[in-house]
Amino acid sequence: MRLFKYLFLILLYFSCKQHAQKTVVPAGNKTPAPVRDNILKTAEASINGDHYLIQYTSTYNMYILKNNRDTIFKETDAAADFEFKDFDMDGYKDIRLYYMTNVPGIEGFLLYEPKSKTFKNVLNFQDFPSPVKIGGTQYYYSYHRSGCADMNWTSDLFYIENYQCKKIGTINGYECENSGIKDGIYIAKASGTKQTVIRELPISTIKRYKEYKWGFIADYWQNNYKLFVTAF
C-alpha cells in the first residue's frame, strides 16, 4: 500500500509539472492573432506589399489583420458588409463599411495611410450618405432624404482633411408644398453650421435630366464645385 501511494505521488508530481510548462514564443516572432469565434464574413487584399484580412464575427466585431498576424484595427458593433476599394483614388485600396439603418446609404470609411501602412477611421463620414467622389478632384458629394417620402432631399459637397469630413456646399430640394417653404432648389455655400444661399432654381429643373434629381445633383456638383472651394 505504501509503495502504491509513493508511485501515485511521483506520477502526480510529473503530471502537474508538465501542465505548468508555458508556451514559449521564439525571440523576434510575434504572437499569432487569436482565432475569432464564429467568423461570418471575410475580405482580403494585398496593398503596398502587405496582406490585409478583415474578419466579421457573430459578436458583431470587425477585426483587420495585417499579414495574418497583427490586429491593427478593431470595431465593435461593426458594419456587417464591407469591401476593399480605392475610394479616394490615390492608388491604394481603402475600406468602405456599409451599415444597415433606416437611412439608406450610411457608410463608414477607413482610409489607407501608406506611411504607417495601416487604416484610419474618417470621422463623421456617416453624416454624408451615398457618397460619390468627383473624378479628378479631392471633393465628394452625398445624397439623403429630408422628409415627405423623399420629396424633400439634400446633397452636400465635402472634402476630407486630417481624417475628417468638411462640408462646403449644400443643395436642398423641396417638392412637397411645405408650409413656409416654397418648392424649389436652394443652393448654399456652407462653413460649419453657417449656410448662405447663393442660388434658387425651380423644382421643375430636375425634370430636364434623364436621372431626375440624381442627374441634376451629379451634373451641378461636377460643373460647379469650384464655386464652393472658398466657402466664405
Side-chain angles (χ1 to χ4, degrees), residues 10 21 25 27 34 56 61 67 72 76 80-81 101 106 110 119-120 137 154 157-158 171 174 189 192 195 214 222:
I10 292 175
Q21 290 178 346
V25 179
Y56 177 76
N61 291 324
N67 296 325
I72 61 172
T76 58
D81 198 13
T101 70
I106 296 293
L110 303 180
F119 295 88
K120 294 187 178 181
T137 78
T154 300
L157 180 70
F158 68 99
I171 300 175
Y174 297 95
K189 289 186 175 182
Q195 293 190 15
W214 294 280
Q222 289 169 2

Side-chain angles (χ1 to χ4, degrees), residues 11 17 35 74 76 111 118 174 201:
L11 290 173
K17 185 175 181 181
V35 177
K74 176 184 176 182
T76 58
L111 182 64
T118 190
Y174 297 95
L201 297 170

Side-chain angles (χ1 to χ4, degrees), residues 164-208:
Q164 185 171 4
C165 297
K166 297 188 176 183
K167 182 170 68 174
I168 57 175
T170 296
I171 300 175
N172 285 306
Y174 297 95
E175 45 183 326
C176 197
E177 298 181 356
N178 298 272
S179 176
I181 303 177
K182 181 182 177 181
D183 281 4
I185 299 171
Y186 299 83
I187 303 171
K189 289 186 175 182
S191 179
T193 58
K194 182 180 179 182
Q195 293 190 15
T196 300
V197 176
I198 61 171
R199 192 174 184 188
E200 297 181 20
L201 297 170
I203 194 63
S204 59
T205 303
I206 60 180
K207 296 181 180 179
R208 304 174 191 170

Side-chain angles (χ1 to χ4, degrees), residues 140-156:
Y140 307 78
Y141 63 87
S142 65
Y143 175 87
H144 69 265
R145 301 172 182 176
S146 295
C148 201
D150 201 21
M151 294 185 72
N152 294 339
W153 44 269
T154 300
S155 177
D156 294 316

Side-chain angles (χ1 to χ4, degrees), residues 36 53-57 61-65 71 73-74:
R36 315 297 180 195
L53 173 67
I54 305 174
Q55 295 180 336
Y56 177 76
T57 74
N61 291 324
M62 185 189 75
Y63 302 85
I64 302 176
L65 279 63
T71 300
F73 187 91
K74 176 184 176 182

